[in-house]
């Protein structure tokens, strides 16, 4: 299919170059299979809303430069590679077959869209209700869960993410390199993301410099447990 479409496009261009009127060619038909467009969620709070734990400048650069660049780049890759998946779920479930540009930037879009939503001003504290029950059931206590999650953030060498996922009713903690995520077919950690923490230096360096441990410790104050509950 892909080859045929490419050949068709090539032939169409040849015809066009030969001076034949190409107005019958409708570009939306040529690329009808390319329906996936990644978008950036609206930040659910102001850049300074997570102060003092995450500073406004870091949030602004993170959202308006880093995250938006992932959106632009993945959509370029989707168009250039003629990636025909209809939704992000299928895109990630087949990501091992895609280019590094598609994988890295697609992950970058999804991960940040998710990350913004699992934080909120005046968040944090210990979870209650079904989140508390699930965490206690899986890890024994909230303190133990925090310890294991923090461990995942600190053991991730270089850039990446720490995750809490729901793998078919079983809660798991792990981390991924770069912009990989647990929806990806090539990811060792599998499941529906419940909570994520960006441990790329761009997420904390302006305020915390090399002290990733302080960033992680303070980040617990902005966790949005109501959002975490939606994944259970
Ligand atoms: Mn980031």
């Amino acid at each position: 299919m892909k080859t045929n479409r490419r050949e068709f496009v090539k032939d169409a261009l040849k015809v066009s170059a030969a001076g034949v009127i190409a107005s019958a060619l409708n570009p939306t038909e040529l690329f009808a299979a390319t329906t996936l467009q990644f978008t950036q969620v609206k930040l659910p709070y102001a850049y300074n809303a997570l102060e003092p734990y995450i500073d406004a400048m870091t949030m602004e650069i993170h959202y308006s430069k880093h995250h938006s660049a992932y959106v632009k780049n993945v959509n370029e890759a989707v168009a250039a590679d003629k990636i025909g998946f209809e939704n992000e779920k299928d895109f990630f479930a087949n990501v091992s077959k895609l280019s590094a540009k598609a994988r890295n930037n697609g992950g970058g879009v999804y991960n940040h869209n998710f990350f913004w939503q699992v934080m909120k001003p005046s968040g944090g504290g210990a979870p209650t209700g079904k989140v508390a029950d699930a965490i206690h059931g899986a890890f024994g206590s909230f303190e133990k869960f925090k310890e294991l999650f923090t461990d995942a953030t600190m053991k991730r060498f270089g850039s990446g993410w720490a995750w809490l996922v729901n793998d078919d009713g079983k809660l798991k903690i792990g981390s991924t390199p770069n912009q990989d995520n647990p929806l990806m077919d090539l990811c060792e950690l599998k499941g529906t993301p419940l909570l994520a923490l960006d441990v790329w230096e761009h997420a904390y360096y302006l305020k915390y410099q090399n002290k990733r441990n302080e960033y992680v410790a303070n980040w617990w104050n902005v966790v949005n447990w109501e959002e975490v509950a939606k994944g259970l």
Side-chain angles (χ1 to χ4, degrees):
M1 276 298 283
K2 204 172 221 181
T3 312
N4 289 343
R5 195 163 63 237
R6 282 206 179 126
E7 289 304 317
F8 174 57
V9 173
K10 220 192 290 172
D11 288 343
L13 290 173
K14 276 186 207 153
V15 170
S16 174
V20 175
I21 294 169
S23 61
L25 293 173
N26 178 346
T28 58
E29 281 173 17
L30 285 177
F31 301 103
T34 305
T35 51
L36 183 60
Q37 275 288 306
F38 281 80
T39 55
Q40 185 175 28
V41 296
K42 190 174 180 306
L43 197 65
Y45 34 76
Y47 289 136
N48 66 359
L50 305 181
E51 295 260 14
Y53 310 111
I54 301 180
D55 61 290
M57 185 176 279
T58 295
M59 282 300 298
E60 181 169 358
I61 295 171
H62 203 171
Y63 180 83
S64 72
K65 306 290 185 201
H66 293 278
H67 191 196
S68 65
Y70 298 130
V71 178
K72 177 179 166 285
N73 290 332
V74 71
N75 286 328
E76 272 177 20
V78 165
D81 302 345
K82 301 182 175 54
I83 296 170
F85 299 115
E86 285 185 9
N87 54 58
E88 293 183 15
K89 189 170 166 282
D90 291 345
F91 177 97
F92 291 127
N94 292 281
V95 86
S96 60
K97 300 167 199 155
L98 305 180
S99 66
K101 181 172 179 177
R103 169 182 169 179
N104 292 334
N105 291 285
V109 176
Y110 173 88
N111 297 353
H112 290 87
N113 279 342
F114 182 78
F115 183 48
W116 310 135
Q117 294 176 83
V118 293
M119 298 189 288
K120 67 169 192 176
S122 311
T128 56
K130 65 178 179 179
V131 179
D133 293 345
I135 284 177
H136 293 165
F139 308 107
S141 68
F142 177 57
E143 286 313 308
K144 186 67 188 171
F145 161 71
K146 269 179 81 170
E147 186 189 314
L148 293 170
F149 191 91
T150 299
D151 215 41
T153 68
M154 295 307 293
K155 286 188 176 152
R156 170 47 51 195
F157 184 77
S159 298
W161 293 76
W163 302 89
L164 171 69
V165 301
N166 179 2
D167 184 13
D168 241 350
K170 192 170 164 36
L171 263 54
K172 293 178 181 171
I173 291 167
S175 73
T176 55
N178 306 314
Q179 296 294 355
D180 285 358
N181 69 47
L183 302 177
M184 292 184 174
D185 60 349
L186 42 68
C187 188
E188 201 177 311
L189 178 73
K190 292 270 191 326
T192 305
L194 296 174
L195 184 61
L197 178 54
D198 188 343
V199 293
W200 282 57
E201 284 185 344
H202 69 224
Y204 62 87
Y205 208 84
L206 290 179
K207 182 176 173 70
Y208 296 98
Q209 293 83 49
N210 60 320
K211 298 181 285 276
R212 183 187 287 187
N213 58 330
E214 285 184 19
Y215 160 67
V216 174
N218 277 340
W219 170 78
W220 291 106
N221 292 299
V222 295
V223 172
N224 182 348
W225 293 114
E226 292 77 35
E227 193 63 30
V228 174
K230 291 180 185 173
L232 287 172

